[in-house]
Every structure is written in C-alpha cells, then in structure tokens.
Amino acid sequence: RGKRAFIAGIADNNGYGWAIAKSLAAAGAEILVGTWVPAFNIFETNLRRGIFDESRILPDGSLMNICKVYPLDAVYDTPQDVPQDEVAESVKEDFGSIDILVHSLANGPEVTKPLLETSRNGYLAAVSSSSYSFVSLLKHFAPLMNPCGASVSLTYIASERCIPRYGGGMSSAKAALESDTKVLAFEAGRRHGIRVNTISAGSLRSRAAKAIGAAVDEMIDYTLMNAPLQKELSAEEVGNAAAFLASPLASAITGTVLFKFVEMTTTTTTP
Ligand code: NAI
C-alpha cells in the first residue's frame, strides 16, 4: 500500500501545506488534513464545492484526493479543548496508522511588533502555536506512526539571523522549532524509529504571511537579490523537498534543517 500522510495546517490552496500535500499525493501518498477550527468549515465546504479543483490537478492530470479533513487546534492539549490528541485518536479509529506527519502551521498574534515591544502573552502565544504545537503533534501521532515514519515541519531563517519585521517572538518560535527538531529526532528516533526534519523555506505570499503585509514582498525581493539562484521560490519546490524528506530516499536523514532557497550569509546587497 502507498504511504499515508497527515498534514496539519492547511486552510486554503495558497500555503506550503497545500503544496506539500500535492507533492506527497503525486508520489502516491494518501492525504489526510488537519485544519484549524475557525477555518475548518469554509475549507471543507470550498473543497467539496470544487473551488480548489484547478489547483488539485497533479502532474499526471488526476486530481489530488483529500481522504478526510479533521478540525484541529494546535494550541490546546488537554481533553477539555478539542485538542491534538483527539485528532490523533480519530485518525487512529478511521485509518489505523500513518507514515508521514507534516506540521505546516504557525501563528504569531504580535508578528508585526518588534521583539522589543512584544508582550509576554504575544511571545508565549507564538511559541505555543508555532513550536510547542509540533512537540504535541508528534507526541500524539508518534504512537500511530508505522516504523520508518517521517515528520517534516517548516521553519524560517529568522531563527538564526536577524530578519527585521519577523517579530512578535516568531523568530524565537522558529529557533525553538529548529532546536526541537534535533532533540525530537533523537527521542522519537530512539523510541519510535521516526525521523524528524524541518525545511527552512524562503518567503511565500501565503495567508499567514499576509499578516506581515508588505514586509513579505520586501523579504522576497531581498532573497531574490541575494540568493544563489535568482528566481522566486515556488511552493511546489518546498513541497517536493518535503516529499523527499518523507520518502525512503531520505531514510538516513534526521534532525536536519534543510535550506530552501534562502539568501547566502556573505552577500551585501540590500533592497
Ligand atoms: P498558511 O496560512 O497556509 O499556513 C498556516 C496555517 O496554520 C493556516 O492553515 C492556519 O489556519 C494554521 N493555524 C494557525 N494557528 C493554528 C492553530 N492554533 N491550530 C491549528 N492550525 C493553526 O501559511 P504558510 O506560510 O504556508 O505557513 C506554513 C508554515 O510555513 C508555517 O510554519 C510558516 O511559519 C512556515 N513558513 C512560511 C514562510 C512564508 O514566507 N510564508 C517562510 C518560511 C516558513
């Protein structure tokens, strides 16, 4: 049988999650999706009504099939709150097991504020929904992952270099996510035989990125000027990298941050 993937963090067809789902589907995987509770109904309705049909087309001409969409709230972990363990439980009941776990979600309520002006609550909210959410997701899904399972998350270079406008503690959240990738690779590798990797992606005009407004365009321009490959990164290229990391071709790769098309450190060009 083909591999089964659960992708947390798809609410439309613009983000990295959708592109990853398509690359995995093109490689023959069965796709399950976790969608944030406030966006769940509209996403499911749009999907059923065929709004996304054009962007569901795979390279062989067939349409990506999303087997099921689950409501998911990545901030809550206790049984009172429609949490991730409930979603894992439902997936287990419906499908038994999965092979691939993708975390493509982030939220920083104060992302437009410089770190120096970020409140404690804003900072903690960013880390909670963008970093701890991965710890929790892996914890709840690992027991239903088949041996040789793989997980992939998405990060951003602001974790290690100062990128103005990526505020609200989001840079801190990505630093945590990358550090956790190493620790979880060790722990989940030893305990479950699961690989844990993250992709540091270039900027994309997704719905989440619209929160920082024109800054995304600046970031894209800056990358274009300073990256080794002078073209705009497509979501599909990140999708393909995720499909590779999740596949047996990457069976000995774990605990890594894979860079996709970010600027090099030594250049001096500014927008
Ligand atoms: P997106 O808007 O497509 O995806 C973010 C998703 O997170 C949305 O579907 C949203 O509903 C979901 N979400 C937010 N809070 C949630 C919660 N509490 N529980 C469950 N779901 C929640 O945007 P994008 O940009 O594709 O983001 C996917 C990942 O890629 C994120 O980790 C982001 O930080 C990362 N990334 C994005 C870059 C960009 O320029 N867009 C660059 C590098 C990394």
Side-chain angles (χ1 to χ4, degrees), residues 9-12 15-17 36 72-75 104-107 129 154-156 166 174 201-204 206-209:
I10 300 182
D12 57 39
Y16 282 133
W36 196 16
L72 169 88
D73 197 322
V75 175
S104 180
L105 62 94
N107 201 359
S129 55
L154 284 151
T155 186
Y156 184 56
Y166 196 71
K174 291 307 192 189
S203 304
L204 177 79
S206 62
R207 182 187 292 209

Side-chain angles (χ1 to χ4, degrees), residues 4-6 32 91 96-101 141 144-146:
R4 185 176 295 124
F6 182 86
L32 313 177
V91 170
S97 65
I98 63 163
D99 306 281
I100 298 163
L101 178 66
F141 275 89
L144 52 137
M145 287 176 78
N146 293 318

